[in-house]
Amino acid sequence: SFDVNRKIEKQLLPMDCLGLEIDEKQGIYYSKLDPWVKEFGYDDLYDKAVPLLNKEKIEFNYDNKTWVVWLWKGYYVPVLGYGSEIGTYIRDPFEKFPIPKKIEYRGANEEEMLTVSYKLMHGKKELFNFEPQKHWWLAGYKSCDYIPAHQLKMVANITFPTEKMAEIFEDSAKGHKPDISHLKREGSTVKFSWK
């Protein structure tokens, strides 16, 4: 068993340097809207560096752009504990020093951000949640005993700028069954669970 209500204790790493802030009420670290890590984009190579995480990469085309909604959950490192993330990226290759390769995706800019909300569950217990907000990388981490990724479930809502974009995303997400389930579109909002 574990104490999901345990308060955040002083950590070894300065979390603001990682682009994180503290939500004292929920006892979690969460992602800032404009952290320095955004400058480094994202790439499939990064996922290979974190093998203990579950991830889903939902890629689709809309408005002459290739979009990716990336999902992650699991146990990160002892300092961060378990957590989950939803990131919105655009395929727009760029070079970024000192990474010796072309990075395939950049974080969504202000005009491209989607309205995202989700809760992270362990069985029937809610671990933490995010209310709807425009964000490009909505992430939360809770220092706690180890919880394996397969025991965590994300229940999410994403609101897109148009119903057409929501429909295209929904069709792409259907290709990720059975991990992505309970897909339901209401206008420009898509609801789903990720186990």
PDB file of all heavy atoms in Angstrom, residues 69-97:
ATOM      1  N   VAL A  69      -0.404  13.961 -30.569  1.00  0.00           N
ATOM      2  CA  VAL A  69      -0.758  14.021 -29.148  1.00  0.00           C
ATOM      3  C   VAL A  69      -0.047  12.829 -28.519  1.00  0.00           C
ATOM      4  O   VAL A  69      -0.348  11.677 -28.830  1.00  0.00           O
ATOM      5  CB  VAL A  69      -2.280  13.964 -28.927  1.00  0.00           C
ATOM      6  CG1 VAL A  69      -2.594  13.814 -27.443  1.00  0.00           C
ATOM      7  CG2 VAL A  69      -2.955  15.205 -29.502  1.00  0.00           C
ATOM      8  N   TRP A  70       0.944  13.136 -27.683  1.00  0.00           N
ATOM      9  CA  TRP A  70       1.764  12.104 -27.041  1.00  0.00           C
ATOM     10  C   TRP A  70       1.266  11.911 -25.625  1.00  0.00           C
ATOM     11  O   TRP A  70       1.019  12.888 -24.903  1.00  0.00           O
ATOM     12  CB  TRP A  70       3.221  12.551 -26.995  1.00  0.00           C
ATOM     13  CG  TRP A  70       4.200  11.649 -27.665  1.00  0.00           C
ATOM     14  CD1 TRP A  70       4.417  10.328 -27.423  1.00  0.00           C
ATOM     15  CD2 TRP A  70       5.123  12.029 -28.695  1.00  0.00           C
ATOM     16  NE1 TRP A  70       5.426   9.857 -28.237  1.00  0.00           N
ATOM     17  CE2 TRP A  70       5.876  10.874 -29.022  1.00  0.00           C
ATOM     18  CE3 TRP A  70       5.414  13.213 -29.358  1.00  0.00           C
ATOM     19  CZ2 TRP A  70       6.884  10.872 -29.971  1.00  0.00           C
ATOM     20  CZ3 TRP A  70       6.420  13.222 -30.311  1.00  0.00           C
ATOM     21  CH2 TRP A  70       7.139  12.058 -30.621  1.00  0.00           C
ATOM     22  N   LEU A  71       1.112  10.669 -25.212  1.00  0.00           N
ATOM     23  CA  LEU A  71       0.689  10.331 -23.858  1.00  0.00           C
ATOM     24  C   LEU A  71       1.794   9.529 -23.181  1.00  0.00           C
ATOM     25  O   LEU A  71       2.383   8.643 -23.798  1.00  0.00           O
ATOM     26  CB  LEU A  71      -0.593   9.490 -23.883  1.00  0.00           C
ATOM     27  CG  LEU A  71      -1.767   9.986 -24.731  1.00  0.00           C
ATOM     28  CD1 LEU A  71      -2.884   8.934 -24.737  1.00  0.00           C
ATOM     29  CD2 LEU A  71      -2.293  11.316 -24.220  1.00  0.00           C
ATOM     30  N   TRP A  72       2.036   9.839 -21.911  1.00  0.00           N
ATOM     31  CA  TRP A  72       2.994   9.072 -21.113  1.00  0.00           C
ATOM     32  C   TRP A  72       2.418   8.852 -19.730  1.00  0.00           C
ATOM     33  O   TRP A  72       1.691   9.694 -19.205  1.00  0.00           O
ATOM     34  CB  TRP A  72       4.317   9.820 -20.935  1.00  0.00           C
ATOM     35  CG  TRP A  72       5.058  10.184 -22.166  1.00  0.00           C
ATOM     36  CD1 TRP A  72       5.992   9.437 -22.828  1.00  0.00           C
ATOM     37  CD2 TRP A  72       4.973  11.425 -22.890  1.00  0.00           C
ATOM     38  NE1 TRP A  72       6.481  10.131 -23.914  1.00  0.00           N
ATOM     39  CE2 TRP A  72       5.874  11.358 -23.981  1.00  0.00           C
ATOM     40  CE3 TRP A  72       4.214  12.591 -22.730  1.00  0.00           C
ATOM     41  CZ2 TRP A  72       6.039  12.391 -24.882  1.00  0.00           C
ATOM     42  CZ3 TRP A  72       4.374  13.630 -23.633  1.00  0.00           C
ATOM     43  CH2 TRP A  72       5.282  13.522 -24.698  1.00  0.00           C
ATOM     44  N   LYS A  73       2.770   7.720 -19.113  1.00  0.00           N
ATOM     45  CA  LYS A  73       2.419   7.474 -17.715  1.00  0.00           C
ATOM     46  C   LYS A  73       3.347   6.405 -17.159  1.00  0.00           C
ATOM     47  O   LYS A  73       3.893   5.586 -17.911  1.00  0.00           O
ATOM     48  CB  LYS A  73       0.955   7.056 -17.554  1.00  0.00           C
ATOM     49  CG  LYS A  73       0.575   5.719 -18.202  1.00  0.00           C
ATOM     50  CD  LYS A  73      -0.912   5.454 -18.027  1.00  0.00           C
ATOM     51  CE  LYS A  73      -1.377   4.258 -18.827  1.00  0.00           C
ATOM     52  NZ  LYS A  73      -1.023   2.969 -18.271  1.00  0.00           N
ATOM     53  N   GLY A  74       3.507   6.433 -15.856  1.00  0.00           N
ATOM     54  CA  GLY A  74       4.348   5.422 -15.222  1.00  0.00           C
ATOM     55  C   GLY A  74       5.189   5.999 -14.113  1.00  0.00           C
ATOM     56  O   GLY A  74       4.905   7.069 -13.567  1.00  0.00           O
ATOM     57  N   TYR A  75       6.241   5.271 -13.776  1.00  0.00           N
ATOM     58  CA  TYR A  75       7.156   5.678 -12.709  1.00  0.00           C
ATOM     59  C   TYR A  75       8.373   6.311 -13.368  1.00  0.00           C
ATOM     60  O   TYR A  75       9.042   5.681 -14.181  1.00  0.00           O
ATOM     61  CB  TYR A  75       7.554   4.467 -11.869  1.00  0.00           C
ATOM     62  CG  TYR A  75       8.278   4.829 -10.602  1.00  0.00           C
ATOM     63  CD1 TYR A  75       7.587   5.352  -9.523  1.00  0.00           C
ATOM     64  CD2 TYR A  75       9.647   4.655 -10.489  1.00  0.00           C
ATOM     65  CE1 TYR A  75       8.245   5.691  -8.349  1.00  0.00           C
ATOM     66  CE2 TYR A  75      10.314   4.987  -9.323  1.00  0.00           C
ATOM     67  CZ  TYR A  75       9.614   5.507  -8.251  1.00  0.00           C
ATOM     68  OH  TYR A  75      10.272   5.851  -7.090  1.00  0.00           O
ATOM     69  N   TYR A  76       8.655   7.528 -13.006  1.00  0.00           N
ATOM     70  CA  TYR A  76       9.733   8.267 -13.661  1.00  0.00           C
ATOM     71  C   TYR A  76      11.060   8.010 -12.962  1.00  0.00           C
ATOM     72  O   TYR A  76      11.845   7.184 -13.390  1.00  0.00           O
ATOM     73  CB  TYR A  76       9.361   9.755 -13.705  1.00  0.00           C
ATOM     74  CG  TYR A  76       8.248  10.018 -14.706  1.00  0.00           C
ATOM     75  CD1 TYR A  76       6.937   9.662 -14.424  1.00  0.00           C
ATOM     76  CD2 TYR A  76       8.510  10.571 -15.956  1.00  0.00           C
ATOM     77  CE1 TYR A  76       5.918   9.872 -15.354  1.00  0.00           C
ATOM     78  CE2 TYR A  76       7.502  10.781 -16.885  1.00  0.00           C
ATOM     79  CZ  TYR A  76       6.212  10.424 -16.575  1.00  0.00           C
ATOM     80  OH  TYR A  76       5.211  10.609 -17.499  1.00  0.00           O
ATOM     81  N   VAL A  77      11.318   8.696 -11.893  1.00  0.00           N
ATOM     82  CA  VAL A  77      12.524   8.466 -11.086  1.00  0.00           C
ATOM     83  C   VAL A  77      12.090   8.645  -9.638  1.00  0.00           C
ATOM     84  O   VAL A  77      11.041   9.225  -9.364  1.00  0.00           O
ATOM     85  CB  VAL A  77      13.661   9.460 -11.439  1.00  0.00           C
ATOM     86  CG1 VAL A  77      14.173   9.203 -12.841  1.00  0.00           C
ATOM     87  CG2 VAL A  77      13.194  10.910 -11.289  1.00  0.00           C
ATOM     88  N   PRO A  78      12.899   8.173  -8.672  1.00  0.00           N
ATOM     89  CA  PRO A  78      12.471   8.288  -7.274  1.00  0.00           C
ATOM     90  C   PRO A  78      12.119   9.718  -6.844  1.00  0.00           C
ATOM     91  O   PRO A  78      11.214   9.912  -6.042  1.00  0.00           O
ATOM     92  CB  PRO A  78      13.684   7.759  -6.499  1.00  0.00           C
ATOM     93  CG  PRO A  78      14.295   6.760  -7.439  1.00  0.00           C
ATOM     94  CD  PRO A  78      14.118   7.359  -8.814  1.00  0.00           C
ATOM     95  N   VAL A  79      12.808  10.711  -7.379  1.00  0.00           N
ATOM     96  CA  VAL A  79      12.537  12.086  -6.980  1.00  0.00           C
ATOM     97  C   VAL A  79      11.166  12.546  -7.461  1.00  0.00           C
ATOM     98  O   VAL A  79      10.408  13.179  -6.723  1.00  0.00           O
ATOM     99  CB  VAL A  79      13.640  13.035  -7.508  1.00  0.00           C
ATOM    100  CG1 VAL A  79      13.271  14.488  -7.227  1.00  0.00           C
ATOM    101  CG2 VAL A  79      14.967  12.696  -6.855  1.00  0.00           C
ATOM    102  N   LEU A  80      10.815  12.212  -8.702  1.00  0.00           N
ATOM    103  CA  LEU A  80       9.513  12.610  -9.248  1.00  0.00           C
ATOM    104  C   LEU A  80       8.397  11.646  -8.856  1.00  0.00           C
ATOM    105  O   LEU A  80       7.245  12.043  -8.711  1.00  0.00           O
ATOM    106  CB  LEU A  80       9.586  12.686 -10.780  1.00  0.00           C
ATOM    107  CG  LEU A  80      10.336  13.872 -11.379  1.00  0.00           C
ATOM    108  CD1 LEU A  80      10.373  13.747 -12.888  1.00  0.00           C
ATOM    109  CD2 LEU A  80       9.705  15.187 -10.968  1.00  0.00           C
ATOM    110  N   GLY A  81       8.712  10.373  -8.735  1.00  0.00           N
ATOM    111  CA  GLY A  81       7.691   9.380  -8.435  1.00  0.00           C
ATOM    112  C   GLY A  81       6.926   8.981  -9.682  1.00  0.00           C
ATOM    113  O   GLY A  81       7.467   8.954 -10.786  1.00  0.00           O
ATOM    114  N   TYR A  82       5.631   8.675  -9.512  1.00  0.00           N
ATOM    115  CA  TYR A  82       4.819   8.292 -10.660  1.00  0.00           C
ATOM    116  C   TYR A  82       4.178   9.540 -11.244  1.00  0.00           C
ATOM    117  O   TYR A  82       4.124  10.604 -10.615  1.00  0.00           O
ATOM    118  CB  TYR A  82       3.756   7.268 -10.263  1.00  0.00           C
ATOM    119  CG  TYR A  82       2.730   7.797  -9.287  1.00  0.00           C
ATOM    120  CD1 TYR A  82       1.686   8.605  -9.724  1.00  0.00           C
ATOM    121  CD2 TYR A  82       2.811   7.486  -7.934  1.00  0.00           C
ATOM    122  CE1 TYR A  82       0.752   9.099  -8.828  1.00  0.00           C
ATOM    123  CE2 TYR A  82       1.877   7.971  -7.039  1.00  0.00           C
ATOM    124  CZ  TYR A  82       0.854   8.779  -7.495  1.00  0.00           C
ATOM    125  OH  TYR A  82      -0.063   9.273  -6.610  1.00  0.00           O
ATOM    126  N   GLY A  83       3.654   9.412 -12.468  1.00  0.00           N
ATOM    127  CA  GLY A  83       3.006  10.570 -13.073  1.00  0.00           C
ATOM    128  C   GLY A  83       2.463  10.263 -14.447  1.00  0.00           C
ATOM    129  O   GLY A  83       2.428   9.109 -14.885  1.00  0.00           O
ATOM    130  N   SER A  84       2.041  11.330 -15.109  1.00  0.00           N
ATOM    131  CA  SER A  84       1.462  11.204 -16.442  1.00  0.00           C
ATOM    132  C   SER A  84       1.569  12.537 -17.169  1.00  0.00           C
ATOM    133  O   SER A  84       1.713  13.593 -16.542  1.00  0.00           O
ATOM    134  CB  SER A  84      -0.001  10.758 -16.344  1.00  0.00           C
ATOM    135  OG  SER A  84      -0.718  11.639 -15.492  1.00  0.00           O
ATOM    136  N   GLU A  85       1.483  12.466 -18.497  1.00  0.00           N
ATOM    137  CA  GLU A  85       1.666  13.652 -19.322  1.00  0.00           C
ATOM    138  C   GLU A  85       0.815  13.545 -20.584  1.00  0.00           C
ATOM    139  O   GLU A  85       0.613  12.451 -21.113  1.00  0.00           O
ATOM    140  CB  GLU A  85       3.124  13.794 -19.759  1.00  0.00           C
ATOM    141  CG  GLU A  85       4.151  13.654 -18.649  1.00  0.00           C
ATOM    142  CD  GLU A  85       5.555  13.465 -19.213  1.00  0.00           C
ATOM    143  OE1 GLU A  85       6.094  14.400 -19.835  1.00  0.00           O
ATOM    144  OE2 GLU A  85       6.103  12.355 -19.038  1.00  0.00           O
ATOM    145  N   ILE A  86       0.354  14.699 -21.061  1.00  0.00           N
ATOM    146  CA  ILE A  86      -0.220  14.815 -22.399  1.00  0.00           C
ATOM    147  C   ILE A  86       0.502  15.965 -23.072  1.00  0.00           C
ATOM    148  O   ILE A  86       0.486  17.095 -22.576  1.00  0.00           O
ATOM    149  CB  ILE A  86      -1.733  15.103 -22.375  1.00  0.00           C
ATOM    150  CG1 ILE A  86      -2.512  13.965 -21.736  1.00  0.00           C
ATOM    151  CG2 ILE A  86      -2.247  15.344 -23.799  1.00  0.00           C
ATOM    152  CD1 ILE A  86      -4.017  14.193 -21.681  1.00  0.00           C
ATOM    153  N   GLY A  87       1.152  15.673 -24.196  1.00  0.00           N
ATOM    154  CA  GLY A  87       1.881  16.706 -24.929  1.00  0.00           C
ATOM    155  C   GLY A  87       1.346  16.856 -26.343  1.00  0.00           C
ATOM    156  O   GLY A  87       0.970  15.866 -26.975  1.00  0.00           O
ATOM    157  N   THR A  88       1.299  18.089 -26.832  1.00  0.00           N
ATOM    158  CA  THR A  88       0.876  18.369 -28.204  1.00  0.00           C
ATOM    159  C   THR A  88       2.080  18.887 -28.980  1.00  0.00           C
ATOM    160  O   THR A  88       2.687  19.892 -28.586  1.00  0.00           O
ATOM    161  CB  THR A  88      -0.252  19.418 -28.249  1.00  0.00           C
ATOM    162  OG1 THR A  88      -1.331  18.978 -27.422  1.00  0.00           O
ATOM    163  CG2 THR A  88      -0.745  19.619 -29.675  1.00  0.00           C
ATOM    164  N   TYR A  89       2.401  18.191 -30.068  1.00  0.00           N
ATOM    165  CA  TYR A  89       3.584  18.519 -30.859  1.00  0.00           C
ATOM    166  C   TYR A  89       3.229  18.605 -32.336  1.00  0.00           C
ATOM    167  O   TYR A  89       2.252  18.010 -32.787  1.00  0.00           O
ATOM    168  CB  TYR A  89       4.667  17.453 -30.651  1.00  0.00           C
ATOM    169  CG  TYR A  89       5.233  17.438 -29.253  1.00  0.00           C
ATOM    170  CD1 TYR A  89       4.598  16.731 -28.234  1.00  0.00           C
ATOM    171  CD2 TYR A  89       6.376  18.146 -28.941  1.00  0.00           C
ATOM    172  CE1 TYR A  89       5.095  16.730 -26.934  1.00  0.00           C
ATOM    173  CE2 TYR A  89       6.887  18.156 -27.657  1.00  0.00           C
ATOM    174  CZ  TYR A  89       6.240  17.449 -26.656  1.00  0.00           C
ATOM    175  OH  TYR A  89       6.739  17.465 -25.381  1.00  0.00           O
ATOM    176  N   ILE A  90       4.060  19.342 -33.056  1.00  0.00           N
ATOM    177  CA  ILE A  90       3.903  19.514 -34.495  1.00  0.00           C
ATOM    178  C   ILE A  90       5.161  19.002 -35.169  1.00  0.00           C
ATOM    179  O   ILE A  90       6.280  19.319 -34.727  1.00  0.00           O
ATOM    180  CB  ILE A  90       3.724  21.009 -34.875  1.00  0.00           C
ATOM    181  CG1 ILE A  90       2.673  21.684 -33.974  1.00  0.00           C
ATOM    182  CG2 ILE A  90       3.382  21.147 -36.356  1.00  0.00           C
ATOM    183  CD1 ILE A  90       1.285  21.132 -34.101  1.00  0.00           C
ATOM    184  N   ARG A  91       4.981  18.183 -36.240  1.00  0.00           N
ATOM    185  CA  ARG A  91       6.163  17.716 -36.959  1.00  0.00           C
ATOM    186  C   ARG A  91       6.740  18.899 -37.740  1.00  0.00           C
ATOM    187  O   ARG A  91       6.133  19.416 -38.673  1.00  0.00           O
ATOM    188  CB  ARG A  91       5.824  16.588 -37.937  1.00  0.00           C
ATOM    189  CG  ARG A  91       7.077  16.049 -38.662  1.00  0.00           C
ATOM    190  CD  ARG A  91       6.711  15.042 -39.740  1.00  0.00           C
ATOM    191  NE  ARG A  91       6.293  13.761 -39.193  1.00  0.00           N
ATOM    192  CZ  ARG A  91       7.133  12.796 -38.817  1.00  0.00           C
ATOM    193  NH1 ARG A  91       8.433  12.984 -38.916  1.00  0.00           N
ATOM    194  NH2 ARG A  91       6.678  11.659 -38.352  1.00  0.00           N
ATOM    195  N   ASP A  92       7.905  19.334 -37.300  1.00  0.00           N
ATOM    196  CA  ASP A  92       8.550  20.516 -37.883  1.00  0.00           C
ATOM    197  C   ASP A  92      10.040  20.398 -37.570  1.00  0.00           C
ATOM    198  O   ASP A  92      10.550  21.022 -36.634  1.00  0.00           O
ATOM    199  CB  ASP A  92       7.946  21.779 -37.260  1.00  0.00           C
ATOM    200  CG  ASP A  92       8.390  23.053 -37.944  1.00  0.00           C
ATOM    201  OD1 ASP A  92       9.052  22.964 -38.994  1.00  0.00           O
ATOM    202  OD2 ASP A  92       8.076  24.134 -37.415  1.00  0.00           O
ATOM    203  N   PRO A  93      10.758  19.535 -38.307  1.00  0.00           N
ATOM    204  CA  PRO A  93      12.143  19.200 -37.952  1.00  0.00           C
ATOM    205  C   PRO A  93      13.030  20.427 -37.787  1.00  0.00           C
ATOM    206  O   PRO A  93      12.935  21.398 -38.541  1.00  0.00           O
ATOM    207  CB  PRO A  93      12.604  18.328 -39.124  1.00  0.00           C
ATOM    208  CG  PRO A  93      11.348  17.753 -39.684  1.00  0.00           C
ATOM    209  CD  PRO A  93      10.327  18.838 -39.529  1.00  0.00           C
ATOM    210  N   PHE A  94      13.898  20.354 -36.763  1.00  0.00           N
ATOM    211  CA  PHE A  94      14.828  21.455 -36.527  1.00  0.00           C
ATOM    212  C   PHE A  94      16.091  20.905 -35.872  1.00  0.00           C
ATOM    213  O   PHE A  94      16.103  19.815 -35.310  1.00  0.00           O
ATOM    214  CB  PHE A  94      14.190  22.540 -35.644  1.00  0.00           C
ATOM    215  CG  PHE A  94      13.864  22.094 -34.243  1.00  0.00           C
ATOM    216  CD1 PHE A  94      14.748  22.317 -33.198  1.00  0.00           C
ATOM    217  CD2 PHE A  94      12.665  21.447 -33.964  1.00  0.00           C
ATOM    218  CE1 PHE A  94      14.440  21.913 -31.907  1.00  0.00           C
ATOM    219  CE2 PHE A  94      12.346  21.031 -32.686  1.00  0.00           C
ATOM    220  CZ  PHE A  94      13.241  21.269 -31.651  1.00  0.00           C
ATOM    221  N   GLU A  95      17.151  21.680 -35.983  1.00  0.00           N
ATOM    222  CA  GLU A  95      18.412  21.329 -35.334  1.00  0.00           C
ATOM    223  C   GLU A  95      18.489  22.084 -34.010  1.00  0.00           C
ATOM    224  O   GLU A  95      18.155  23.264 -33.944  1.00  0.00           O
ATOM    225  CB  GLU A  95      19.607  21.751 -36.209  1.00  0.00           C
ATOM    226  CG  GLU A  95      19.625  21.120 -37.589  1.00  0.00           C
ATOM    227  CD  GLU A  95      20.127  19.685 -37.591  1.00  0.00           C
ATOM    228  OE1 GLU A  95      20.614  19.226 -36.548  1.00  0.00           O
ATOM    229  OE2 GLU A  95      20.036  19.036 -38.647  1.00  0.00           O
ATOM    230  N   LYS A  96      18.914  21.395 -32.973  1.00  0.00           N
ATOM    231  CA  LYS A  96      19.042  22.048 -31.679  1.00  0.00           C
ATOM    232  C   LYS A  96      20.359  21.647 -31.035  1.00  0.00           C
ATOM    233  O   LYS A  96      20.571  20.497 -30.682  1.00  0.00           O
ATOM    234  CB  LYS A  96      17.876  21.652 -30.761  1.00  0.00           C
ATOM    235  CG  LYS A  96      17.913  22.336 -29.397  1.00  0.00           C
ATOM    236  CD  LYS A  96      17.686  23.817 -29.519  1.00  0.00           C
ATOM    237  CE  LYS A  96      17.728  24.496 -28.164  1.00  0.00           C
ATOM    238  NZ  LYS A  96      17.507  25.942 -28.271  1.00  0.00           N
ATOM    239  N   PHE A  97      21.264  22.597 -30.898  1.00  0.00           N
ATOM    240  CA  PHE A  97      22.514  22.354 -30.190  1.00  0.00           C
ATOM    241  C   PHE A  97      22.174  22.131 -28.714  1.00  0.00           C
ATOM    242  O   PHE A  97      21.317  22.824 -28.174  1.00  0.00           O
ATOM    243  CB  PHE A  97      23.438  23.569 -30.354  1.00  0.00           C
ATOM    244  CG  PHE A  97      24.765  23.416 -29.657  1.00  0.00           C
ATOM    245  CD1 PHE A  97      25.784  22.718 -30.265  1.00  0.00           C
ATOM    246  CD2 PHE A  97      24.956  23.940 -28.394  1.00  0.00           C
ATOM    247  CE1 PHE A  97      26.998  22.556 -29.621  1.00  0.00           C
ATOM    248  CE2 PHE A  97      26.161  23.783 -27.739  1.00  0.00           C
ATOM    249  CZ  PHE A  97      27.180  23.092 -28.359  1.00  0.00           C
TER     250      PHE A  97
END
